[in-house]
Amino acid sequence: MGQYEAHRKRSQEPPEGETPHPPRRRRKRRRRRSPVGLILLCLVLVAGIAAGAGYFWYTGEVNGSRIQKESVEVEIPQGSGTAGIASILEEAGAIGNAQVFRFYSKYVAKADGTYQYGTFTLSPGEGYDSIIDDLQEVQQQLETVTLTFPEGYNAFQMGDVLEKAGLCTREEFITALNEHEFDLDFLDEVGSDPLKLVRLDGFLFPDTYEFYADEDVDSVILRMLRNFENRICTSENRAAMEKAGYSLEELAIFASIIQKESASVEEMYNVSSVFTNRLAAGSQYPRLESCTTNNYINDYIRPAYDNNPTQEVLTAYDTYDRSGFPVGAIANAGADAFDAALHPEKNTLDGEYYFFVTDVEYTHYYGRTYQEHLANIEKAKVVNRRYGIEGLVS
């Protein structure tokens, strides 16, 4: 050991007579716990309690345990929708919450559109299912009228069918379609352009219906609109609409034209493919040029305006004068026409076609070019002459 080391060692030794101090220990700092974890735990507990309480409340509402009344009598007016019925039930004390009943009716029981009208004695304590079952029972045997609306009928033609059956006049039907309100969610997607001749034309599903002989016009329309919602506004169709880039109103307009232009389901897909090609971005033929829209103008729009419509009104429907779709549907299409509008790829043609013409026998002649189209027109005229018809039919 060197002299420096020996000196350092001696300097570290305590003087004689002093007690050496033990070495000091460093005090460990206590780590503070973050309150974030505790706060999150509390929030989870509160959320769990709230969810449990909400579920308990919802269950009690649905099974009737929250309602003390043993029986309730309610009067359901003819033509009432689920929203109106729910309000009546809540006001009478048969249920505790109208919004919950509407949700349960639509998404759980799937009972919208099945309710009857009349006087009902309900047992609130037995829950929603019991109430719904009771409201679906016909209260009395009423005279009914069975009516069939063919695919492709417009609102005016449907009004004629209803008037002939004695349910309402054509004028009452058209007025209700233009001015009355109906409690269906999809109607928020229907435009109210003042140039449209009939606001809800295109959304009245053509089908066979059994109406009460004294059923009012709003109830008749509501049934047809609900049928449209159930048959057309499906999740599959919604997905195809989004892929194609169509709004619900555009789809109804397109399907109505396809319906009027086609004599068979197979032709619907071919016609759809031609029109889809014309509607494509950058198309050299951006107008549909459908004779059916001109027929609608001449047969319904001109008479509605005393044969003196403005040019703005005419252009709104004239597909020879405007690009894209007309302002409104010209008919009420069936499910096949809607499917064809959404799936033009199902066509049986062997290429991209932009023209077609029909003869009196409803044969369709398709052309890729305008020159082919002119040749097809002559073919159609030859067939028509056999029936004493000069020119084309529309």
Side-chain angles (χ1 to χ4, degrees):
M1 180 182 296
Q3 183 178 357
Y4 171 76
E5 291 295 331
H7 173 75
R8 182 181 176 204
K9 185 175 180 181
R10 286 195 303 271
S11 64
Q12 290 177 350
E13 294 176 358
E16 292 184 9
E18 290 187 15
T19 304
H21 295 287
R24 293 183 180 180
R25 293 183 178 179
R26 290 186 177 180
R27 296 178 62 184
K28 293 184 179 180
R29 293 183 180 179
R30 292 185 179 181
R31 299 178 64 182
R32 293 184 179 180
R33 292 183 178 179
S34 172
V36 175
L38 183 61
I39 292 172
L40 289 175
L41 178 61
C42 291
L43 289 175
V44 170
L45 291 174
V46 170
I49 293 171
Y55 178 77
F56 180 77
W57 180 91
Y58 173 81
T59 302
E61 172 68 21
V62 170
N63 65 26
S65 61
R66 296 182 62 250
I67 306 297
Q68 303 300 319
K69 294 185 178 182
E70 294 184 2
S71 66
V72 172
E73 186 174 282
V74 296
E75 178 71 27
I76 304 298
Q78 184 180 0
S80 297
T82 304
I85 292 172
S87 297
I88 292 171
L89 296 177
E90 183 179 35
E91 186 175 347
I95 61 174
N97 188 285
Q99 295 298 324
V100 173
F101 183 85
R102 290 179 64 182
F103 172 85
Y104 190 88
S105 173
K106 183 171 184 177
Y107 297 106
V108 182
K110 300 187 184 302
D112 285 6
T114 66
Y115 298 118
Q116 305 298 317
Y117 69 91
T119 302
F120 300 83
T121 300
L122 308 175
S123 301
E126 295 182 10
Y128 281 9
D129 289 334
S130 174
I131 291 173
I132 289 172
D133 287 342
D134 289 341
L135 292 176
Q136 291 172 328
E137 292 292 328
V138 177
Q139 295 303 288
Q140 52 185 322
Q141 293 298 322
L142 300 174
E143 181 184 353
T144 60
V145 178
T146 301
L147 299 178
T148 297
F149 301 97
E151 295 177 354
Y153 263 30
N154 60 43
F156 296 97
Q157 293 170 305
M158 289 179 164
D160 289 337
V161 173
L162 292 168
E163 184 168 349
K164 186 176 180 180
L167 289 177
C168 64
T169 67
R170 178 210 257 201
E171 183 179 358
E172 289 170 340
F173 185 62
I174 298 299
T175 298
L177 291 172
N178 278 329
E179 299 179 6
H180 295 188
E181 297 298 325
F182 301 92
D183 184 29
L184 291 170
D185 292 340
F186 83 87
L187 292 180
D188 292 338
E189 302 172 67
V190 178
S192 56
D193 192 310
L195 295 176
K196 287 175 70 174
L197 189 57
V198 182
R199 180 172 63 97
L200 296 181
D201 216 354
F203 303 94
L204 308 168
F205 195 78
D207 206 343
T208 297
Y209 295 85
E210 186 175 14
F211 299 112
Y212 296 115
D214 64 342
E215 194 155 353
D216 65 33
V217 65
D218 279 13
S219 178
V220 168
I221 294 170
L222 194 57
R223 289 206 201 193
M224 301 170 83
L225 293 173
R226 282 180 181 145
N227 200 8
F228 178 92
E229 182 177 47
N230 293 333
R231 298 289 299 276
I232 303 302
C233 299
T234 63
S235 57
E236 293 81 5
N237 282 351
R238 290 287 189 182
M241 280 171 52
E242 184 175 355
K243 182 178 180 181
Y246 296 139
S247 67
L248 182 61
E249 181 148 46
E250 288 172 335
L251 178 63
I253 294 169
F254 193 15
S256 74
I257 296 174
I258 292 171
Q259 182 79 61
K260 298 299 289 184
E261 289 280 13
S262 308
S264 68
V265 174
E266 180 181 313
E267 294 299 349
M268 288 180 181
Y269 293 97
N270 294 339
V271 167
S272 176
S273 70
V274 170
F275 285 143
T276 300
N277 290 338
R278 283 178 164 260
L279 291 169
S283 169
Q284 57 181 319
Y285 305 107
R287 296 185 177 88
L288 294 178
E289 297 185 357
S290 170
C291 293
T292 60
T293 58
N294 280 0
N295 294 341
Y296 186 77
I297 288 172
N298 294 327
D299 294 341
Y300 297 98
I301 293 179
R302 291 188 186 278
Y305 286 87
D306 295 325
N307 291 317
N308 191 32
T310 65
Q311 186 58 48
E312 186 181 21
V313 171
L314 294 176
T315 301
Y317 280 91
D318 188 353
T319 55
Y320 284 85
D321 194 32
R322 64 181 286 138
S323 298
F325 296 120
V327 71
I330 61 172
N332 294 280
D336 290 325
F338 276 93
D339 190 70
L342 290 171
H343 300 286
E345 70 278 2
K346 294 181 182 180
N347 72 82
T348 59
L349 303 175
D350 57 350
E352 288 191 355
Y353 289 76
Y354 292 87
F355 302 91
F356 68 86
V357 64
T358 58
D359 61 28
V360 71
E361 295 178 346
Y362 298 106
T363 301
H364 286 61
Y365 304 85
Y366 296 91
R368 298 182 183 87
T369 65
Y370 186 63
Q371 286 70 30
E372 287 184 11
H373 181 54
L374 292 177
N376 287 336
I377 289 175
E378 294 307 314
K379 293 177 184 178
K381 286 180 178 180
V382 170
V383 176
N384 293 346
R385 288 192 192 103
R386 298 176 193 160
Y387 295 86
I389 299 172
E390 286 297 328
L392 298 175
V393 291
S394 60

